[in-house]
Amino acid sequence: MDSAEPAAGSPAADADEHLVRELEKVAVALGRMFPGLCEVVLHDLRDPRRTVRAIENNLSGRQIGDSATELGLARIADPRYPSVVQNYPNRFPDGRPAKSTSIGIRNSAGDYIAALCLNLDVSVLSPVTLALSQLVATDTGHPDEPLESLRHRNARALREAVEAGAAERGGTPRSLGRDGKRELVRQLHRDGWFDSRDAAQTIADLLGVSRATVYNYTK
């Protein structure tokens, strides 16, 4: 890299080479975790003319021994360059969009000696994302009208709903004022809690009002 680069065969150079070799295992393992989806490239920044040391899931068409990218050259030139540049937009040579992350690897002296780069082919994921969004989308044509709930409407669940509704209004079921109780009853009615036979009486007991009052509050 420069005059500070450890001499070949020195303990420092051997340590750098060992670190890069260990990173090769990481690159291969990551690539095989996401076959056909994420390209993983290990750059050896000690020689900018031949930085590509390993490539798994080759989506960009590069080869072992190819030269550094602009980002790699920036790291070689400036040791203050960020260690991690994450989730930046990129493109493969054929125009496919990619999302990339580059992780700079420093040796014990603080010099960049390698970079592990992940390039995710988002063109593969876009149709999947669209299909999933369509699958989970709901549209009944009546957004203001609740249709049903799959909850089991037992007395315990109803009590919890009343207590939660009261807490949202800053009190307990019995401590709420008249307006607060009316709002709570109307909310319970909109949410379908009156479908069960004894719901009105249960709500009345919790609020400390009569059953008739509860029905009046729903109007």
Side-chain angles (χ1 to χ4, degrees):
M1 292 172 59
D2 52 34
S3 58
E5 182 177 348
S10 68
D14 290 344
D16 288 355
E17 178 62 22
H18 175 75
L19 179 56
V20 174
R21 286 181 178 175
E22 290 298 299
L23 286 167
E24 287 183 17
K25 302 176 187 177
V26 177
V28 171
L30 285 174
R32 292 180 181 177
M33 186 77 177
F34 307 101
L37 184 62
C38 184
E39 177 186 77
V40 183
V41 185
L42 175 63
H43 291 277
D44 185 342
L45 299 182
R46 294 173 296 176
D47 183 355
R49 298 166 300 176
R50 297 175 52 85
T51 65
V52 178
R53 177 74 174 252
I55 184 165
E56 192 73 20
N57 277 341
N58 192 337
L59 301 177
S60 62
R62 286 175 289 178
Q63 302 297 325
I64 303 297
D66 279 356
S67 59
T69 63
E70 295 86 350
L71 197 153
L73 293 173
R75 279 207 176 99
I76 293 171
D78 185 2
R80 297 169 300 176
Y81 198 87
S83 296
V84 178
V85 182
Q86 194 162 25
N87 295 335
Y88 59 92
N90 211 338
R91 283 197 176 275
F92 291 110
D94 61 5
R96 282 174 298 162
K99 183 173 78 169
S100 298
T101 290
S102 177
I103 307 166
I105 308 298
R106 301 176 188 268
N107 61 11
S108 59
D111 299 319
Y112 281 120
I113 62 167
L116 189 63
C117 301
L118 295 84
N119 303 306
L120 183 69
D121 184 356
V122 296
S123 70
V124 176
L125 296 177
S126 296
V128 176
T129 302
L130 177 60
L132 288 175
S133 66
Q134 292 174 340
L135 181 64
V136 302
T138 58
D139 182 9
T140 66
H142 304 282
D144 298 326
E145 299 179 16
L147 299 180
E148 66 175 355
S149 171
L150 302 180
R151 293 177 296 182
H152 180 48
R153 303 279 183 170
N154 57 28
R156 179 178 177 181
L158 176 55
R159 176 184 293 273
E160 291 174 352
V162 172
E163 291 175 348
E168 291 174 0
R169 291 164 174 80
T172 63
R174 286 181 174 262
S175 71
L176 291 178
R178 180 178 179 182
D179 289 342
K181 290 179 179 179
R182 179 185 292 107
E183 291 175 3
L184 176 54
V185 169
R186 288 179 176 176
Q187 181 64 53
L188 294 168
H189 189 263
R190 287 194 297 270
D191 291 345
W193 286 101
F194 280 74
D195 294 344
S196 61
R197 183 180 60 184
D198 300 324
Q201 187 60 57
T202 301
I203 294 170
D205 293 341
L206 292 170
L207 295 179
V209 298
S210 68
R211 189 166 179 266
T213 298
V214 167
Y215 279 118
N216 285 332
Y217 282 166
T218 64
K219 299 176 181 178

